Amino acid sequence: LPDRILESQRLMVGGTILAARLALTRGIAINLGGGLHHAYAGHGERFCLWNDVAVAIRELRLGGFEAPVLVVDLDLHDGDGTRAIFADDPTVHVLSIHNRTTAAVRSPGSTVVELPGAVGDADYLAAVEAHLPPLLESIKPGLVVYLAGCDPAHDDVIGDWRVSEAGMLARDRFVFEQVRGGRKGKRTPLAITLAGGYGHRAWTYSARAFSWLISGREVEPPSSEEMTLARYRAMAARIAPHELTGDGAPGAGSPGSPADWGLTPEDLAAAGGVRARTRFLGFYSPQGLELALERSGLLDRVRARGFSHLTLDLDLDNPGGETVRLKSAGWSAPLIELRARVDRGSVPEMAVLRVEWLLLQDPRARFTPERPRLPGQRFPGLGLLPDVTALLVVACERLRLDGLVFVPAHYHTAAQGRRILRFLSPEHEGLFRALQAALAPFPLAEAAAAVEEGRVVDAATGEALAWPPMLMVLPVAERLKAKLEGEDYEAKAAAAHRSFAVRPRRRR
Protein backbone atom coordinates (compact mmCIF):
# COMPACT_ATOMS: atom_id res chain seq x y z
CA LEU A 1 0.00 0.00 0.00
CA PRO A 2 2.75 2.57 0.74
CA ASP A 3 4.32 1.85 -2.66
CA ARG A 4 0.96 2.41 -4.37
CA ILE A 5 0.50 5.75 -2.59
CA LEU A 6 4.02 6.84 -3.45
CA GLU A 7 3.53 5.91 -7.09
CA SER A 8 0.20 7.72 -7.40
CA GLN A 9 1.52 10.91 -5.84
CA ARG A 10 4.66 10.85 -8.00
CA LEU A 11 2.37 10.69 -11.00
CA MET A 12 0.39 13.65 -9.66
CA VAL A 13 3.59 15.68 -9.31
CA GLY A 14 4.57 14.78 -12.85
CA GLY A 15 1.11 15.76 -14.05
CA THR A 16 1.37 19.22 -12.52
CA ILE A 17 4.83 19.72 -14.01
CA LEU A 18 3.42 18.82 -17.44
CA ALA A 19 0.31 20.99 -16.96
CA ALA A 20 2.47 24.01 -16.05
CA ARG A 21 4.65 23.53 -19.13
CA LEU A 22 1.66 23.07 -21.42
CA ALA A 23 -0.10 26.11 -19.98
CA LEU A 24 2.82 28.30 -21.06
CA THR A 25 2.59 27.10 -24.66
CA ARG A 26 -1.12 26.34 -25.08
CA GLY A 27 -2.74 28.75 -22.63
CA ILE A 28 -4.49 26.32 -20.30
CA ALA A 29 -3.93 22.77 -19.04
CA ILE A 30 -5.56 20.61 -16.38
CA ASN A 31 -3.94 17.91 -14.27
CA LEU A 32 -6.62 15.42 -13.16
CA GLY A 33 -4.93 15.12 -9.77
CA GLY A 34 -2.44 17.10 -7.73
CA GLY A 35 -2.94 20.08 -5.46
CA LEU A 36 -0.90 18.48 -2.65
CA HIS A 37 -0.58 21.77 -0.81
CA HIS A 38 0.13 20.50 2.73
CA ALA A 39 3.57 19.11 1.83
CA TYR A 40 6.51 21.21 3.04
CA ALA A 41 10.01 21.36 1.58
CA GLY A 42 11.36 18.80 4.02
CA HIS A 43 8.39 16.65 4.94
CA GLY A 44 4.87 15.68 3.96
CA GLU A 45 1.74 16.26 5.98
CA ARG A 46 -1.78 14.84 6.00
CA PHE A 47 -2.61 13.43 2.54
CA CYS A 48 0.30 15.19 0.85
CA LEU A 49 3.77 13.67 0.43
CA TRP A 50 5.27 16.07 -2.13
CA ASN A 51 4.13 19.57 -3.00
CA ASP A 52 3.47 19.22 -6.73
CA VAL A 53 2.78 22.93 -7.27
CA ALA A 54 6.11 23.92 -5.71
CA VAL A 55 8.00 21.27 -7.68
CA ALA A 56 6.39 22.42 -10.94
CA ILE A 57 7.30 26.06 -10.31
CA ARG A 58 10.90 25.11 -9.44
CA GLU A 59 11.10 23.06 -12.64
CA LEU A 60 9.93 26.04 -14.69
CA ARG A 61 12.52 28.23 -13.00
CA LEU A 62 15.28 25.73 -13.85
CA GLY A 63 14.08 25.91 -17.46
CA GLY A 64 14.49 29.67 -17.57
CA PHE A 65 10.95 30.86 -16.80
CA GLU A 66 11.33 34.05 -14.72
CA ALA A 67 7.88 35.69 -14.72
CA PRO A 68 5.89 36.09 -11.47
CA VAL A 69 3.60 33.21 -10.51
CA LEU A 70 0.25 33.49 -8.69
CA VAL A 71 -1.02 30.40 -6.89
CA VAL A 72 -4.79 30.58 -6.37
CA ASP A 73 -5.59 28.01 -3.68
CA LEU A 74 -9.35 27.57 -3.26
CA ASP A 75 -9.21 24.23 -1.50
CA LEU A 76 -11.20 24.28 1.76
CA HIS A 77 -7.99 23.85 3.75
CA ASP A 78 -5.08 26.19 4.28
CA GLY A 79 -2.34 25.87 1.65
CA ASP A 80 0.22 26.02 4.44
CA GLY A 81 2.93 23.93 2.80
CA THR A 82 2.94 26.03 -0.37
CA ARG A 83 3.00 29.28 1.61
CA ALA A 84 5.94 28.02 3.68
CA ILE A 85 7.97 26.89 0.67
CA PHE A 86 7.66 30.28 -1.04
CA ALA A 87 7.81 32.42 2.11
CA ASP A 88 11.12 33.96 1.01
CA ASP A 89 10.44 34.01 -2.74
CA PRO A 90 8.95 37.35 -3.85
CA THR A 91 8.28 36.01 -7.35
CA VAL A 92 5.59 33.59 -6.14
CA HIS A 93 2.42 34.85 -4.45
CA VAL A 94 -0.04 32.45 -2.81
CA LEU A 95 -3.72 33.36 -2.36
CA SER A 96 -5.33 30.89 0.05
CA ILE A 97 -9.03 31.19 0.98
CA HIS A 98 -9.78 28.53 3.57
CA ASN A 99 -11.84 27.61 6.63
CA ARG A 100 -9.08 27.97 9.22
CA THR A 101 -5.42 28.91 9.17
CA THR A 102 -3.17 26.14 10.47
CA ALA A 103 0.35 26.48 11.92
CA ALA A 104 1.70 30.00 11.70
CA VAL A 105 3.76 30.44 8.55
CA ARG A 106 5.78 33.57 7.92
CA SER A 107 4.64 34.40 4.41
CA PRO A 108 4.90 38.05 3.39
CA GLY A 109 4.28 36.99 -0.20
CA SER A 110 0.87 35.49 0.54
CA THR A 111 -2.73 36.59 0.92
CA VAL A 112 -4.44 34.59 3.66
CA VAL A 113 -8.25 34.74 3.88
CA GLU A 114 -9.89 32.78 6.69
CA LEU A 115 -13.65 32.16 6.54
CA PRO A 116 -14.73 30.23 9.65
CA GLY A 117 -18.14 28.67 10.15
CA ALA A 118 -20.73 27.29 7.76
CA VAL A 119 -19.84 29.49 4.78
CA GLY A 120 -22.40 29.67 1.98
CA ASP A 121 -22.39 30.91 -1.61
CA ALA A 122 -22.64 34.65 -0.93
CA ASP A 123 -19.76 34.98 1.55
CA TYR A 124 -17.52 32.59 -0.38
CA LEU A 125 -17.98 34.21 -3.78
CA ALA A 126 -17.61 37.67 -2.26
CA ALA A 127 -14.20 36.70 -0.86
CA VAL A 128 -13.00 35.28 -4.18
CA GLU A 129 -14.26 38.29 -6.14
CA ALA A 130 -12.71 40.74 -3.66
CA HIS A 131 -9.19 39.29 -3.66
CA LEU A 132 -8.43 37.70 -7.03
CA PRO A 133 -8.79 40.67 -9.45
CA PRO A 134 -6.55 43.06 -7.44
CA LEU A 135 -3.82 40.43 -7.19
CA LEU A 136 -3.91 39.79 -10.93
CA GLU A 137 -3.53 43.52 -11.54
CA SER A 138 -0.72 44.08 -9.03
CA ILE A 139 1.33 40.92 -9.62
CA LYS A 140 0.82 40.64 -13.40
CA PRO A 141 1.69 36.93 -13.30
CA GLY A 142 3.17 35.05 -16.22
CA LEU A 143 1.44 31.91 -14.90
CA VAL A 144 -1.51 31.20 -12.60
CA VAL A 145 -1.70 27.82 -10.85
CA TYR A 146 -5.26 27.17 -9.68
CA LEU A 147 -6.03 24.58 -6.99
CA ALA A 148 -9.71 23.99 -7.79
CA GLY A 149 -10.58 22.10 -4.61
CA CYS A 150 -14.09 20.63 -4.41
CA ASP A 151 -14.20 20.30 -0.61
CA PRO A 152 -15.94 23.68 -0.05
CA ALA A 153 -19.09 21.97 -1.40
CA HIS A 154 -22.06 21.42 0.89
CA ASP A 155 -21.98 17.62 0.54
CA ASP A 156 -18.26 17.11 1.14
CA VAL A 157 -17.89 14.38 3.75
CA ILE A 158 -15.14 16.11 5.76
CA GLY A 159 -15.79 19.78 4.89
CA ASP A 160 -17.74 22.26 7.00
CA TRP A 161 -18.79 24.80 4.35
CA ARG A 162 -22.14 24.88 2.57
CA VAL A 163 -21.36 26.04 -0.97
CA SER A 164 -23.94 24.82 -3.51
CA GLU A 165 -23.41 23.29 -6.94
CA ALA A 166 -24.23 26.65 -8.51
CA GLY A 167 -21.84 28.43 -6.15
CA MET A 168 -18.97 26.08 -6.96
CA LEU A 169 -19.49 26.52 -10.70
CA ALA A 170 -19.73 30.30 -10.30
CA ARG A 171 -16.39 30.25 -8.42
CA ASP A 172 -14.63 28.28 -11.14
CA ARG A 173 -16.13 30.36 -13.94
CA PHE A 174 -15.02 33.55 -12.21
CA VAL A 175 -11.44 32.29 -11.93
CA PHE A 176 -11.39 31.12 -15.56
CA GLU A 177 -12.83 34.40 -16.84
CA GLN A 178 -10.50 36.57 -14.76
CA VAL A 179 -7.38 34.67 -15.79
CA ARG A 180 -8.26 33.69 -19.36
CA GLY A 181 -11.11 36.02 -20.29
CA GLY A 182 -9.08 38.73 -21.89
CA ARG A 183 -8.75 40.96 -18.81
CA LYS A 184 -7.55 44.25 -20.35
CA GLY A 185 -6.20 42.29 -23.28
CA LYS A 186 -4.23 39.92 -21.02
CA ARG A 187 -4.83 36.15 -21.22
CA THR A 188 -2.60 34.63 -18.56
CA PRO A 189 -1.46 30.99 -18.87
CA LEU A 190 -3.46 28.83 -16.43
CA ALA A 191 -2.53 25.43 -14.96
CA ILE A 192 -5.25 23.70 -12.92
CA THR A 193 -5.01 20.92 -10.32
CA LEU A 194 -7.91 19.19 -8.60
CA ALA A 195 -6.81 19.44 -4.92
CA GLY A 196 -9.27 18.23 -2.25
CA GLY A 197 -12.75 16.79 -2.53
CA TYR A 198 -14.12 13.88 -0.49
CA GLY A 199 -17.14 11.70 -1.19
CA HIS A 200 -18.66 9.78 -4.08
CA ARG A 201 -19.91 12.93 -5.84
CA ALA A 202 -16.89 15.20 -5.37
CA TRP A 203 -15.81 14.66 -8.98
CA THR A 204 -19.03 16.19 -10.32
CA TYR A 205 -17.94 19.72 -9.35
CA SER A 206 -14.82 19.44 -11.48
CA ALA A 207 -16.87 17.87 -14.27
CA ARG A 208 -19.28 20.82 -14.35
CA ALA A 209 -16.44 23.35 -14.43
CA PHE A 210 -14.40 21.62 -17.11
CA SER A 211 -17.48 20.93 -19.24
CA TRP A 212 -18.29 24.63 -19.15
CA LEU A 213 -14.66 25.46 -19.95
CA ILE A 214 -14.69 23.17 -22.98
CA SER A 215 -18.19 23.79 -24.34
CA GLY A 216 -19.21 27.18 -22.98
CA ARG A 217 -22.41 25.73 -21.53
CA GLU A 218 -23.49 24.06 -18.32
CA VAL A 219 -23.54 20.26 -18.52
CA GLU A 220 -24.95 18.21 -15.67
CA PRO A 221 -22.69 15.20 -14.97
CA PRO A 222 -24.14 11.69 -15.14
CA SER A 223 -24.71 9.69 -11.99
CA SER A 224 -21.84 7.90 -10.29
CA GLU A 225 -23.47 4.60 -11.25
CA GLU A 226 -23.51 5.58 -14.92
CA MET A 227 -19.87 6.62 -14.77
CA THR A 228 -18.88 3.38 -13.04
CA LEU A 229 -20.69 1.33 -15.66
CA ALA A 230 -19.10 3.32 -18.48
CA ARG A 231 -15.65 2.68 -17.00
CA TYR A 232 -16.23 -1.07 -16.73
CA ARG A 233 -17.70 -1.24 -20.23
CA ALA A 234 -14.61 0.46 -21.62
CA MET A 235 -12.36 -2.00 -19.81
CA ALA A 236 -14.44 -4.97 -20.95
CA ALA A 237 -14.18 -3.84 -24.57
CA ARG A 238 -10.42 -4.38 -24.39
CA ILE A 239 -10.78 -8.06 -23.49
CA ALA A 240 -11.37 -10.48 -26.34
CA PRO A 241 -14.08 -13.13 -25.78
CA HIS A 242 -11.62 -16.02 -26.21
CA GLU A 243 -9.60 -14.66 -23.27
CA LEU A 244 -12.68 -15.07 -21.07
CA THR A 245 -13.96 -18.39 -22.36
CA GLY A 246 -10.69 -20.21 -22.92
CA ASP A 247 -11.82 -21.44 -26.34
CA GLY A 248 -8.66 -20.34 -28.05
CA ALA A 249 -8.00 -17.30 -30.18
CA PRO A 250 -9.19 -17.34 -33.78
CA GLY A 251 -6.46 -18.94 -35.83
CA ALA A 252 -4.66 -20.28 -32.77
CA GLY A 253 -2.83 -23.54 -32.83
CA SER A 254 -4.00 -26.90 -31.62
CA PRO A 255 -5.66 -27.33 -28.23
CA GLY A 256 -3.12 -27.19 -25.46
CA SER A 257 -0.80 -24.81 -27.28
CA PRO A 258 0.36 -21.66 -25.44
CA ALA A 259 -2.07 -19.59 -27.52
CA ASP A 260 -5.02 -21.82 -26.65
CA TRP A 261 -6.85 -22.20 -23.35
CA GLY A 262 -9.11 -24.77 -24.97
CA LEU A 263 -10.52 -28.05 -23.72
CA THR A 264 -8.47 -30.19 -21.39
CA PRO A 265 -9.23 -33.74 -20.28
CA GLU A 266 -10.82 -32.27 -17.14
CA ASP A 267 -13.31 -30.39 -19.33
CA LEU A 268 -14.87 -33.67 -20.41
CA ALA A 269 -16.84 -35.95 -18.17
CA ALA A 270 -15.69 -39.56 -18.16
CA ALA A 271 -18.89 -41.05 -19.54
CA GLY A 272 -19.68 -40.40 -23.16
CA GLY A 273 -17.59 -37.27 -23.52
CA VAL A 274 -20.32 -35.08 -21.98
CA ARG A 275 -19.13 -31.56 -21.24
CA ALA A 276 -18.71 -30.93 -17.50
CA ARG A 277 -19.52 -27.59 -15.92
CA THR A 278 -16.25 -25.74 -16.15
CA ARG A 279 -17.42 -22.24 -16.99
CA PHE A 280 -19.24 -19.71 -14.84
CA LEU A 281 -22.64 -18.98 -16.41
CA GLY A 282 -21.57 -21.26 -19.23
CA PHE A 283 -19.14 -18.62 -20.49
CA TYR A 284 -16.29 -17.59 -18.17
CA SER A 285 -13.47 -20.05 -17.62
CA PRO A 286 -11.79 -19.81 -14.19
CA GLN A 287 -8.79 -18.11 -15.81
CA GLY A 288 -11.04 -15.84 -17.84
CA LEU A 289 -13.07 -14.77 -14.80
CA GLU A 290 -9.92 -13.94 -12.87
CA LEU A 291 -8.60 -12.03 -15.89
CA ALA A 292 -11.84 -10.00 -16.12
CA LEU A 293 -11.71 -9.08 -12.42
CA GLU A 294 -8.02 -8.17 -12.60
CA ARG A 295 -8.18 -6.05 -15.73
CA SER A 296 -11.36 -4.31 -14.61
CA GLY A 297 -9.53 -3.01 -11.55
CA LEU A 298 -11.86 -4.68 -9.03
CA LEU A 299 -9.10 -6.78 -7.49
CA ASP A 300 -6.92 -3.67 -7.17
CA ARG A 301 -9.75 -1.97 -5.30
CA VAL A 302 -9.93 -4.90 -2.93
CA ARG A 303 -6.15 -4.82 -2.40
CA ALA A 304 -6.35 -1.09 -1.68
CA ARG A 305 -8.55 -2.00 1.30
CA GLY A 306 -5.64 -3.92 2.82
CA PHE A 307 -6.20 -7.46 1.53
CA SER A 308 -3.49 -9.49 -0.17
CA HIS A 309 -2.94 -12.89 -1.80
CA LEU A 310 -6.44 -12.98 -3.25
CA THR A 311 -7.87 -16.28 -4.48
CA LEU A 312 -10.94 -17.04 -6.54
CA ASP A 313 -13.01 -20.17 -5.86
CA LEU A 314 -15.78 -21.46 -8.14
CA ASP A 315 -18.58 -23.87 -7.23
CA LEU A 316 -20.49 -24.56 -10.43
CA ASP A 317 -22.56 -27.55 -9.27
CA ASN A 318 -24.80 -25.85 -6.71
CA PRO A 319 -28.43 -26.35 -7.86
CA GLY A 320 -29.34 -22.94 -6.40
CA GLY A 321 -26.88 -21.14 -8.64
CA GLU A 322 -23.25 -21.09 -9.62
CA THR A 323 -21.08 -19.57 -6.90
CA VAL A 324 -17.96 -17.41 -7.01
CA ARG A 325 -15.99 -16.58 -3.85
CA LEU A 326 -13.14 -14.10 -3.50
CA LYS A 327 -10.96 -14.76 -0.46
CA SER A 328 -7.86 -13.21 1.07
CA ALA A 329 -5.00 -14.88 2.91
CA GLY A 330 -5.51 -14.81 6.65
CA TRP A 331 -9.30 -14.56 6.55
CA SER A 332 -11.68 -17.52 6.52
CA ALA A 333 -14.69 -15.39 5.59
CA PRO A 334 -15.01 -14.53 1.89
CA LEU A 335 -14.76 -10.88 0.90
CA ILE A 336 -17.13 -11.37 -2.02
CA GLU A 337 -19.55 -14.24 -2.53
CA LEU A 338 -21.87 -14.33 -5.53
CA ARG A 339 -24.40 -17.01 -6.42
CA ALA A 340 -26.11 -16.45 -9.77
CA ARG A 341 -27.77 -18.26 -12.66
CA VAL A 342 -29.34 -17.56 -16.03
CA ASP A 343 -33.11 -17.35 -15.47
CA ARG A 344 -35.57 -17.74 -18.34
CA GLY A 345 -38.76 -17.91 -16.28
CA SER A 346 -39.02 -14.94 -13.91
CA VAL A 347 -39.60 -12.32 -16.62
CA PRO A 348 -41.96 -13.53 -19.36
CA GLU A 349 -40.29 -14.01 -22.74
CA MET A 350 -36.95 -12.74 -21.47
CA ALA A 351 -33.69 -14.19 -20.18
CA VAL A 352 -32.09 -12.50 -17.20
CA LEU A 353 -29.18 -12.95 -14.85
CA ARG A 354 -30.65 -13.84 -11.47
CA VAL A 355 -28.54 -13.07 -8.42
CA GLU A 356 -29.56 -15.51 -5.71
CA TRP A 357 -27.01 -14.29 -3.19
CA LEU A 358 -24.48 -11.45 -3.06
CA LEU A 359 -22.21 -10.82 -0.09
CA LEU A 360 -19.70 -7.99 0.08
CA GLN A 361 -18.00 -7.71 3.45
CA ASP A 362 -14.89 -6.29 5.06
CA PRO A 363 -13.78 -8.45 8.02
CA ARG A 364 -11.09 -5.89 8.88
CA ALA A 365 -13.65 -3.16 9.50
CA ARG A 366 -15.73 -2.53 12.62
CA PHE A 367 -19.24 -1.25 13.07
CA THR A 368 -19.47 2.29 14.44
CA PRO A 369 -22.31 4.63 15.45
CA GLU A 370 -21.92 6.28 12.04
CA ARG A 371 -21.83 2.90 10.31
CA PRO A 372 -24.04 0.59 12.40
CA ARG A 373 -24.78 -3.05 11.78
CA LEU A 374 -27.61 -3.64 9.33
CA PRO A 375 -29.87 -6.73 9.39
CA GLY A 376 -28.08 -9.78 8.01
CA GLN A 377 -24.58 -8.29 8.34
CA ARG A 378 -21.74 -10.10 10.07
CA PHE A 379 -19.14 -7.52 9.02
CA PRO A 380 -19.42 -4.02 7.53
CA GLY A 381 -19.77 -3.80 3.78
CA LEU A 382 -16.82 -3.73 1.41
CA GLY A 383 -17.96 -0.55 -0.35
CA LEU A 384 -17.80 -2.10 -3.82
CA LEU A 385 -21.46 -2.65 -4.68
CA PRO A 386 -21.44 -0.17 -7.63
CA ASP A 387 -18.37 -1.91 -9.07
CA VAL A 388 -19.78 -5.42 -8.72
CA THR A 389 -23.12 -4.29 -10.15
CA ALA A 390 -21.35 -2.79 -13.16
CA LEU A 391 -19.47 -6.04 -13.75
CA LEU A 392 -22.75 -7.97 -13.63
CA VAL A 393 -24.30 -5.60 -16.18
CA VAL A 394 -21.28 -6.13 -18.45
CA ALA A 395 -21.79 -9.89 -18.04
CA CYS A 396 -25.44 -9.50 -19.10
CA GLU A 397 -24.33 -7.64 -22.20
CA ARG A 398 -21.75 -10.29 -23.07
CA LEU A 399 -24.30 -13.08 -22.64
CA ARG A 400 -27.06 -11.11 -24.42
CA LEU A 401 -29.33 -11.21 -21.38
CA ASP A 402 -32.14 -8.71 -20.92
CA GLY A 403 -31.24 -7.62 -17.43
CA LEU A 404 -30.27 -8.34 -13.86
CA VAL A 405 -32.78 -9.47 -11.21
CA PHE A 406 -32.74 -10.32 -7.53
CA VAL A 407 -35.09 -10.57 -4.54
CA PRO A 408 -33.89 -8.32 -1.70
CA ALA A 409 -33.96 -10.10 1.65
CA HIS A 410 -34.14 -6.89 3.68
CA TYR A 411 -35.52 -3.38 3.41
CA HIS A 412 -32.07 -1.77 3.43
CA THR A 413 -30.95 -3.95 0.52
CA ALA A 414 -33.86 -2.73 -1.59
CA ALA A 415 -33.38 0.88 -0.47
CA GLN A 416 -29.70 0.87 -1.40
CA GLY A 417 -30.48 -0.50 -4.85
CA ARG A 418 -33.26 1.98 -5.61
CA ARG A 419 -31.01 4.37 -7.52
CA ILE A 420 -30.60 1.89 -10.35
CA LEU A 421 -33.23 -0.84 -9.83
CA ARG A 422 -37.01 -1.00 -9.85
CA PHE A 423 -39.48 -3.67 -8.89
CA LEU A 424 -40.72 -5.88 -11.69
CA SER A 425 -44.27 -5.73 -10.38
CA PRO A 426 -45.82 -2.24 -10.38
CA GLU A 427 -47.83 -3.25 -7.31
CA HIS A 428 -44.57 -3.95 -5.45
CA GLU A 429 -43.18 -0.65 -6.72
CA GLY A 430 -46.17 1.18 -5.28
CA LEU A 431 -45.89 -0.64 -1.96
CA PHE A 432 -42.20 0.21 -1.62
CA ARG A 433 -42.73 3.87 -2.48
CA ALA A 434 -45.28 4.08 0.32
CA LEU A 435 -42.90 2.30 2.67
CA GLN A 436 -40.08 4.68 1.79
CA ALA A 437 -42.32 7.67 2.45
CA ALA A 438 -43.18 6.38 5.93
CA LEU A 439 -39.54 5.62 6.76
CA ALA A 440 -38.08 8.82 5.24
CA PRO A 441 -37.54 10.54 8.66
CA PHE A 442 -35.30 7.69 9.88
CA PRO A 443 -31.66 6.84 9.08
CA LEU A 444 -31.33 3.69 7.01
CA ALA A 445 -30.26 1.49 9.95
CA GLU A 446 -33.25 2.57 12.03
CA ALA A 447 -35.62 2.15 9.10
CA ALA A 448 -34.33 -1.36 8.41
CA ALA A 449 -34.63 -2.28 12.09
CA ALA A 450 -38.22 -1.03 12.20
CA VAL A 451 -39.16 -3.33 9.30
CA GLU A 452 -37.30 -6.32 10.78
CA GLU A 453 -38.93 -5.82 14.20
CA GLY A 454 -42.45 -5.59 12.78
CA ARG A 455 -42.93 -1.97 13.85
CA VAL A 456 -44.09 -0.84 10.42
CA VAL A 457 -47.86 -1.27 10.26
CA ASP A 458 -50.55 -0.73 7.66
CA ALA A 459 -52.25 2.52 8.70
CA ALA A 460 -55.66 1.21 7.59
CA THR A 461 -55.61 -2.23 9.23
CA GLY A 462 -53.00 -1.91 11.97
CA GLU A 463 -51.35 -5.12 10.78
CA ALA A 464 -47.57 -5.32 10.87
CA LEU A 465 -45.83 -5.47 7.50
CA ALA A 466 -44.16 -8.78 6.78
CA TRP A 467 -41.35 -8.10 4.30
CA PRO A 468 -42.54 -9.89 1.12
CA PRO A 469 -40.42 -11.45 -1.62
CA MET A 470 -40.36 -8.81 -4.38
CA LEU A 471 -38.31 -9.14 -7.56
CA MET A 472 -36.15 -6.12 -8.42
CA VAL A 473 -34.85 -5.50 -11.93
CA LEU A 474 -31.97 -3.63 -13.48
CA PRO A 475 -32.90 -3.56 -17.17
CA VAL A 476 -30.13 -3.90 -19.74
CA ALA A 477 -32.05 -4.54 -22.96
CA GLU A 478 -34.38 -1.88 -24.33
CA ARG A 479 -37.40 -4.16 -24.29
CA LEU A 480 -37.08 -4.68 -20.53
CA LYS A 481 -36.56 -0.94 -19.99
CA ALA A 482 -39.77 -0.27 -21.93
CA LYS A 483 -41.66 -2.69 -19.71
CA LEU A 484 -40.74 -0.64 -16.63
CA GLU A 485 -41.20 2.82 -18.11
CA GLY A 486 -44.64 2.65 -19.68
CA GLU A 487 -47.65 4.66 -18.55
CA ASP A 488 -49.43 1.44 -17.60
CA TYR A 489 -46.64 0.56 -15.14
CA GLU A 490 -46.81 3.98 -13.47
CA ALA A 491 -50.59 3.89 -13.28
CA LYS A 492 -50.58 0.50 -11.57
CA ALA A 493 -47.82 1.59 -9.17
CA ALA A 494 -49.81 4.68 -8.18
CA ALA A 495 -52.99 2.61 -7.73
CA ALA A 496 -51.15 0.25 -5.36
CA HIS A 497 -50.38 3.07 -2.91
CA ARG A 498 -50.79 2.26 0.79
CA SER A 499 -50.15 4.22 3.97
CA PHE A 500 -47.83 2.93 6.66
CA ALA A 501 -47.09 4.06 10.20
CA VAL A 502 -44.01 3.32 12.31
CA ARG A 503 -44.50 2.27 15.90
CA PRO A 504 -41.85 3.30 18.46
CA ARG A 505 -39.57 0.63 19.89
CA ARG A 506 -40.88 -0.74 23.17
CA ARG A 507 -38.90 0.08 26.27
CA ARG A 508 -37.57 -2.89 28.17
Side-chain angles (χ1 to χ4, degrees):
L1 186 59
D3 287 341
R4 294 164 63 87
I5 295 172
L6 292 170
E7 180 185 12
S8 67
Q9 293 209 10
R10 285 191 179 104
L11 288 170
M12 290 186 190
V13 175
T16 302
I17 293 172
L18 180 58
R21 290 173 176 165
L22 289 172
L24 295 180
T25 58
R26 302 189 184 184
I28 187 166
I30 303 166
N31 175 19
L32 296 180
L36 308 171
H37 59 170
H38 296 311
Y40 286 71
H43 66 279
E45 283 197 10
R46 285 153 279 183
F47 295 117
C48 308
L49 300 177
W50 297 288
N51 194 305
D52 58 306
V53 173
V55 173
I57 294 172
R58 295 293 199 214
E59 284 286 312
L60 292 180
R61 295 294 191 232
L62 289 172
F65 179 74
E66 298 179 351
V69 176
L70 174 61
V71 178
V72 180
D73 190 338
L74 299 187
D75 186 284
L76 175 75
H77 305 102
D78 183 8
D80 45 11
T82 312
R83 291 195 291 115
I85 289 171
F86 294 111
D88 298 318
D89 187 343
T91 70
V92 178
H93 191 99
V94 179
L95 166 63
S96 181
I97 301 178
H98 48 257
N99 59 350
R100 60 187 63 87
T101 305
T102 54
V105 175
R106 183 183 62 82
S107 51
S110 297
T111 299
V112 176
V113 182
E114 182 177 290
L115 300 176
V119 174
D121 290 10
D123 292 339
Y124 186 47
L125 294 175
V128 177
E129 292 167 3
H131 290 89
L132 179 58
L135 287 174
L136 289 169
E137 290 299 326
S138 61
I139 295 170
K140 296 180 174 54
L143 172 69
V144 172
V145 181
Y146 176 32
L147 280 69
C150 297
D151 41 9
H154 66 96
D155 58 353
D156 193 83
V157 299
I158 68 172
D160 57 0
W161 283 357
R162 297 293 177 264
V163 183
S164 69
E165 286 82 357
M168 293 292 291
L169 181 58
R171 176 202 73 173
D172 292 331
R173 287 184 58 173
F174 182 79
V175 174
F176 298 157
E177 289 166 346
Q178 287 295 307
V179 178
R180 296 291 301 159
R183 174 182 43 86
K184 293 185 178 181
K186 180 67 173 177
R187 294 172 64 87
T188 306
L190 175 63
I192 303 171
T193 69
L194 296 192
Y198 308 93
H200 292 301
R201 296 292 289 170
W203 66 272
T204 61
Y205 296 98
S206 298
R208 289 187 188 92
F210 301 153
S211 296
W212 179 87
L213 187 63
I214 293 168
S215 67
R217 59 188 178 88
E218 296 185 17
V219 178
E220 186 60 23
S223 69
S224 295
E225 290 81 9
E226 289 174 309
M227 289 296 294
T228 300
L229 179 56
R231 185 173 72 248
Y232 279 98
R233 278 174 170 157
M235 294 172 180
R238 295 194 288 268
I239 306 177
H242 75 268
E243 295 181 275
L244 302 175
T245 64
D247 283 337
S254 59
S257 69
D260 188 340
W261 289 356
L263 295 179
T264 66
E266 290 76 19
D267 289 322
L268 301 175
V274 178
R275 186 76 178 270
R277 285 191 178 186
T278 60
R279 294 188 174 104
F280 180 61
L281 302 177
F283 182 83
Y284 296 91
S285 70
Q287 301 96 328
L289 185 59
E290 185 173 346
L291 179 71
L293 298 180
E294 190 70 75
R295 288 196 189 173
S296 72
L298 181 73
L299 299 187
D300 266 349
R301 289 174 177 265
V302 174
R303 294 184 187 107
R305 285 154 172 76
F307 297 100
S308 60
H309 299 96
L310 302 176
T311 58
L312 201 63
D313 294 336
L314 273 68
D315 177 5
L316 304 182
D317 295 321
N318 191 316
E322 301 168 26
T323 304
V324 176
R325 297 181 185 90
L326 181 69
K327 295 183 177 180
S328 173
W331 300 95
S332 58
L335 309 178
I336 299 176
E337 186 173 67
L338 167 70
R339 185 177 304 134
R341 61 185 175 87
V342 176
D343 181 350
R344 303 184 187 277
S346 293
V347 183
E349 300 179 354
M350 298 189 194
V352 294
L353 178 60
R354 185 177 182 117
V355 176
E356 301 287 1
W357 169 258
L358 177 60
L359 176 69
L360 305 172
Q361 60 182 6
D362 184 350
R364 294 167 55 97
R366 296 292 179 265
F367 294 107
T368 66
E370 296 76 24
R371 195 181 184 189
R373 186 191 303 270
L374 294 169
Q377 284 189 323
R378 180 184 174 193
F379 301 107
L382 196 58
L384 293 175
L385 181 59
D387 301 82
V388 172
T389 302
L391 281 171
L392 292 174
V393 170
V394 169
C396 287
E397 293 171 341
R398 283 198 181 276
L399 300 177
R400 295 182 174 85
L401 301 177
D402 292 286
L404 179 70
V405 304
F406 85 110
V407 177
H410 306 281
Y411 169 80
H412 69 86
T413 311
Q416 290 171 326
R418 284 290 290 169
R419 287 181 294 183
I420 55 174
L421 293 104
R422 299 185 75 180
F423 290 93
L424 179 64
S425 161
E427 290 76 18
H428 289 161
E429 179 73 20
L431 183 149
F432 191 81
R433 290 177 187 177
L435 190 57
Q436 270 195 316
L439 294 169
F442 304 96
L444 182 60
E446 292 183 29
V451 175
E452 293 288 319
E453 295 164 7
R455 292 189 288 111
V456 178
V457 299
D458 190 308
T461 65
E463 295 182 359
L465 171 75
W467 180 253
M470 302 185 292
L471 195 69
M472 295 191 79
V473 181
L474 196 166
V476 175
E478 290 300 323
R479 62 176 184 166
L480 184 50
K481 291 179 183 178
K483 185 180 181 66
L484 301 176
E485 294 174 356
E487 294 181 2
D488 184 55
Y489 181 94
E490 284 298 325
K492 289 181 179 179
H497 179 77
R498 294 163 62 181
S499 295
F500 292 99
V502 183
R503 291 173 176 167
R505 183 181 278 116
R506 292 181 179 178
R507 295 182 179 179
R508 295 183 178 179

